[in-house]
Amino acid sequence: MQAAVLAHFPPHIHPLTLASDPDGVLTDEEVLTALAERGFKLVNESDPIHLRHRVEQARPWSTERPLIVVTAGLLDQLPYDLWQQGHHVTLALHTFFPDLAYPVVRALTPAQRWRLSQAPPPPRRLGQRATVEFLLCYVFAADFDALWQPAQLIAWLDQYHQQTDPMPSVLADSLLAHLRKAPAYADWLLDELLASRDAFTTFVREQWRAYVQQQTGELLKEEPVRYVLDFETDHALQDALPCLMRSGTLEPVSVDQPDRLPNWARPAVLAPDEDHRPRRAAELLEILLESLDTPLADARWEQWQAIVRAWAELTALRYDPDNPLSSAQQKECQRLQSRLDAAFLTWLRQRYAPLGSQRLPTPHHIHHVPHYIAYQRRQGWTDRVALLILDGMALADWTLIGPAWRARHPDWRFEKHLLLAQVPTITAVSRQALVSGLRPADFAATLDTNRAEPGQWAAFWAGEGLPADACPHVRLALDRDEPSSEVDSARTRALCLTDNKIDDMVHDATLGSTDFYASLHVWLEEYGRRVEKVIAGLLARGFTVYLTSDHGHVEARGLGQPSEGLTVDTRGKRARIYSDRRAATNVQEGFPQTILWSQDSLLPDDVWVLMPQGRSAFATFNETVVTHGGPTLDEMVVPLVTITQTSEVCQTSEVSPREQDDG
C-alpha cells in the first residue's frame, strides 16, 4: 500500500500538490515519514483561515521544498488560487483494498490498516461479513475456533490489549456474537473484557486470587468472586501464566504457605516476607533488552509505546525510596538508559514531525489534545469536557498514581493514550501547545510565557461554537484555595484546569529522582486526594475528564552553564532557546555534548534549541538535578487518560476458602 500511495507523489516534480483524502490514507506514519524524507511538507487544515495561514507560512514552495495540501473534501472546494496552481491527486481507500468491503476497511485506524497491508490479499472479492472475518483473522489474529477455549481467549485478550487502538465496533460486534455462543462464556462479561484493559486485568487478577484462595484455604479478600477460569485443570491456562505475568496483566499474590500450590503456580505467588519488585524489575529489564535487539530506528510508534510503558514501570521501581533495586540492577538500568536514549533520539528525528501532522482519530502530539476532545464532543460521545493538566507528570508517575486511583474509585473507568510532548519539553512551549491546540510555530510571539493560555483555550473553543464564558481556564492551587466558581458553573462546557504541584516537586527534588518519588508518595495521600475530589465532582456533574501532562522529567547531572548573555531567549537546564543560529552554534562549540534542534515543521523556522545529550544538564558541573526540557523518553512521552464514571458493577458469586487438608 505504501508504494502505491507514494507513487502519487514523485519527488522534485510538483511544487504544490493538492490531495483529496476523505479516507485518511495519508495519516499512516510510514507514508508520512516517507513523504518527509522526499522533502514534502504537509498542510491539513479544515478551517479556511488556518489553512491560509499555514500555506503562507510554507512559502516559498518549490520542487526542492514541495508542499502537499490535504483535504477530506473535494479539491474544487479549496481556494481557487491553490486549485489553479496545484497538481491534483485523489486518494480512495477502496483502490488499495479492492477485494474488501469498503465501509469495514474504512473503520480501521491507520495502524490497523498498516497491519492489513502486510496481510496476503484475499483470493476473491469479499462481502461485508467475509471482510469482517478476514480482518479479525489478519489484523487482530482472532481465530474463531481457538477463541472458544478460555485459555486461548485469555491469551488473545492479553495480546490485544497491548495494542494502542481499539477494535472497530463492526468487528467487535461480530466477534462478541460468536463468543457468546460458547457455553463456557455464559457468565463472562465479554463486552467489558474486550472494551477495557482495566476490566480484563481486574478479571484475570480476581480469577487468580480465587484459585489461590480455593487451593490454600486462605481468605485473600473479603469480596466474593465468580470463579470461571479453571486454573486447576486447564493446562493451557497454566502455560499462559508466565506471559500474563510478563505483560503485567497478572501480579503475584502473597500467601502464608506458597508450598501448598503446584510448581507451575509458584511464579504468581509470594511468601509473606517476599518482595515481588526485584522479580518484576528483572522481567522488565529482560523485555527492554530484547526490544533493543530489534531495529528501532524505523519502528512504528506502536512498538515504541510498548517500550515506553515498560521503561516507565521500571523507572518507578528504580527510584522507589523505600525499596531500591539491587546495585546490579541499578547498573543494568544505567546501561539500558544510555542505549534507549540514543535509539529514541534517532527515531524521534525521523518520526516526530510526521506524527505531528496526524491529529485524528488518534492523537499523537500534545497539541492534538484539544482537537481530539472536540472530535469526541462532535461525535456526541460527550458534552461537558474538562482538560486537567498535571504539569510535569511523567508516565512513570502515572504508573503509581493510576493504580492508587483505580483502587480508591472502582466506578471510574480509565482509557489511556500515550502522546509526544513538544520539543523542547519546557512548560512555556509544551503546555502552551497543549492548551491552545497549536504548533509552537503558531504562537511564536508568546513562546517564552504561559500568560496567553486562557485566551488560547477560549479561542480554540470559539472555533467549535462555544462562547468564552462556557470555556474557562482555571489554575488550581488546592493546598491554598478551593477551585473557583467557574468549575461548578452550569454554563461551563469546556473546562481547562492546570495544576503545578508535581512540577514544583520536580524542581524541589535536590537529592535526585528518589527524592522526587518520596514526595510523590506523600502527594498521593495528601494533595492527590484533593485532585481526586475535583475529578469526582466533575464526573458527578456529567463531565468527561481528560487528564494529561505537558512533559515528564529526568534526573540529570550538570555539565556546566553557558555564559551567553542576551543572545539566549530562554534559559533552561535541559534546553536553551535561541533566535540566532550563530549564537546557538557558538554555545555548542563550548558544549559539544549537545543537540541542536530546529526546523522540525512544528517550531518557528527562526528558532534553534540547544539540548544536552543523554541525561546531562546546563547546571553546575556534576550537580544532580531533576528537571525537564530535553528529548528523552521520560521527558517526551506523557499519558492522556480519559476518565469516565460507570455505574456497572461486575456480578459475582461466592467462592469460599476450602478447608485445609491435614495431609
Side-chain angles (χ1 to χ4, degrees), residues 156-228:
W156 179 84
L157 284 169
D158 192 44
Q159 289 293 319
Y160 168 72
H161 282 301
Q162 293 176 49
Q163 298 175 14
T164 56
D165 296 335
M167 182 183 294
S169 59
V170 63
L171 273 66
D173 291 344
S174 176
L175 178 60
L176 290 169
H178 175 79
L179 294 176
R180 289 190 188 105
K181 297 175 184 176
Y185 304 139
D187 296 326
W188 291 35
L189 297 175
L190 292 169
D191 300 64
E192 279 293 306
L193 296 180
L194 183 62
S196 168
R197 178 176 177 82
D198 283 349
F200 171 67
T201 299
T202 299
F203 172 76
V204 173
R205 291 180 181 181
E206 287 185 344
Q207 290 298 303
W208 179 245
R209 176 171 55 82
Y211 165 75
V212 173
Q213 182 170 290
Q214 188 182 69
Q215 293 296 307
T216 63
E218 298 179 26
L219 184 62
L220 303 179
K221 197 173 182 181
E222 292 294 336
E223 293 85 354
V225 175
R226 185 189 298 274
Y227 183 33
V228 296

Side-chain angles (χ1 to χ4, degrees), residues 492-539:
T492 299
R493 285 293 175 270
L495 172 66
C496 181
L497 301 170
T498 62
D499 189 287
N500 291 337
K501 186 65 174 180
I502 290 179
D503 195 53
D504 292 342
M505 288 159 44
V506 166
H507 295 291
D508 289 342
T510 56
L511 301 179
S513 288
T514 302
D515 185 12
F516 167 79
Y517 281 102
S519 298
L520 186 63
H521 284 290
V522 175
W523 181 94
L524 266 171
E525 297 305 320
E526 296 178 2
Y527 193 96
R529 289 186 181 271
R530 297 171 186 166
V531 177
E532 292 171 62
K533 183 179 177 182
V534 171
I535 295 172
L538 291 169
L539 294 175

Side-chain angles (χ1 to χ4, degrees), residues 385 453-463 465-474 486 491-496:
V385 296
E453 286 178 0
Q456 291 168 335
W457 178 254
F460 175 85
W461 287 101
L466 292 182
D469 62 352
C471 39
H473 178 282
V474 177
E486 296 163 305
R491 291 187 58 81
T492 299
R493 285 293 175 270
L495 172 66
C496 181

Side-chain angles (χ1 to χ4, degrees), residues 406-624:
R406 287 186 185 95
R408 293 172 189 166
H409 306 280
D411 59 334
W412 289 7
R413 180 169 174 175
F414 300 84
E415 179 187 325
K416 184 174 71 177
H417 289 92
L418 298 185
L419 305 175
L420 292 169
Q422 300 305 132
V423 177
T425 51
I426 60 177
T427 300
V429 175
S430 211
R431 198 178 79 191
Q432 199 172 173
L434 170 58
V435 172
S436 67
L438 300 172
R439 305 169 308 142
D442 298 321
F443 53 82
T446 60
L447 209 58
D448 60 346
T449 178
N450 294 99
R451 289 193 297 269
E453 286 178 0
Q456 291 168 335
W457 178 254
F460 175 85
W461 287 101
E464 295 292 322
L466 292 182
D469 62 352
C471 39
H473 178 282
V474 177
R475 289 186 171 88
L476 298 178
L478 299 175
D479 50 354
R480 298 194 302 270
D481 303 302
E482 291 295 316
S484 70
S485 59
E486 296 163 305
V487 175
D488 296 324
S489 172
R491 291 187 58 81
T492 299
R493 285 293 175 270
L495 172 66
C496 181
L497 301 170
T498 62
D499 189 287
N500 291 337
K501 186 65 174 180
I502 290 179
D503 195 53
D504 292 342
M505 288 159 44
V506 166
H507 295 291
D508 289 342
T510 56
L511 301 179
S513 288
T514 302
D515 185 12
F516 167 79
Y517 281 102
S519 298
L520 186 63
H521 284 290
V522 175
W523 181 94
L524 266 171
E525 297 305 320
E526 296 178 2
Y527 193 96
R529 289 186 181 271
R530 297 171 186 166
V531 177
E532 292 171 62
K533 183 179 177 182
V534 171
I535 295 172
L538 291 169
L539 294 175
R541 291 190 293 277
F543 280 86
T544 297
V545 178
Y546 299 85
L547 181 146
T548 190
S549 172
D550 52 344
H551 56 74
H553 51 82
V554 292
E555 179 179 299
R557 194 166 294 276
L559 50 73
Q561 300 183 62
S563 299
E564 65 272 78
L566 298 177
T567 61
V568 63
D569 298 336
T570 299
R571 293 178 175 86
K573 291 180 179 178
R574 288 280 292 157
R576 298 171 95 83
I577 300 178
Y578 302 85
S579 54
D580 184 298
R581 180 183 178 88
R582 186 177 301 174
T585 55
N586 285 343
V587 174
Q588 189 175 34
E589 288 176 3
F591 291 85
Q593 302 87 15
T594 52
I595 304 155
L596 189 60
W597 187 284
S598 65
Q599 297 185 337
D600 59 4
S601 299
L602 295 161
L603 285 170
D605 286 343
D606 58 353
V607 164
W608 289 265
V609 181
L610 193 65
M611 299 174 285
Q613 293 178 1
R615 307 293 172 112
S616 299
F618 293 124
T620 303
F621 183 75
N622 225 25
E623 178 188 6
T624 297

